[in-house]
Amino acid sequence: MTVRVMLVSPATSAALREARFGGDGPLDEAGARHARAAAGAPARADRFLSGPSRRCRETAAELGAGAAVAEVLEELGDWDMGSWRGRRLDEVGVSEPEAVSAWLTDPAAAPHGGESLLALCERVGGWLQSLPDDAGRVLAVTEPAVARAAVVHALALPAEAFWRLDVEPLTLTELSGRAGRWNLRCGRPLGGESG
């Protein structure tokens, strides 16, 4: 049986606009408005999931429009950025340029003390692999890094391909198939928000 995994990236927040690592704040006014406008846009799902971040949970609530409550899964949590959590990329780039360079070029590096890119892809891939063949249609609101890691794992791409994938706010990345054989459809906007 084919499993369909629909990964929706959350709406915008101040932390996203500021390029903060793991900034877990609420949706901003524009993000909440765009998420409400997209309510009902995702396809029907047998299981409705959310990553644990506040913006994922708030986006899931807006998309469900009160009709469905998303189950929060820790496995769908954002990339653990350790000591960089909450800091802006430009700030870390100035204070720790060698560490940022290592992070961007070595998938095994975790100079921040959190997860390496390889560990993120392994965690998200483990979740994908754990879905039973009869899982049906799974809709999950996840941070962009989780969607990117899912694509890397599903398509057996080299980890470095992660950096070449963009996931915009309120877009749908779809994987269909089953463990070991996935097809990809990515970047369909929900409700028209593009950034």
Side-chain angles (χ1 to χ4, degrees), residues 12 24 28 33 37 39 46-47 51-52 74 78 87-89 96 106 128 130 142 151 155 177-179 181 188:
T12 57
D24 185 18
D28 59 23
R33 184 176 61 251
D46 300 311
R47 191 169 177 201
E74 291 299 320
D78 200 4
R87 295 176 64 193
R88 288 189 330 267
L89 175 58
E96 302 177 47
D106 179 0
L128 271 178
S130 76
T142 64
V151 169
L155 300 183
R178 58 189 138 313
R181 172 92 168 108
R188 185 162 56 99

Side-chain angles (χ1 to χ4, degrees), residues 73-89:
L73 287 185
E74 291 299 320
E75 299 97 293
L76 298 178
D78 200 4
W79 192 352
D80 178 0
M81 299 309 293
S83 64
W84 293 355
R85 182 174 176 75
R87 295 176 64 193
R88 288 189 330 267
L89 175 58

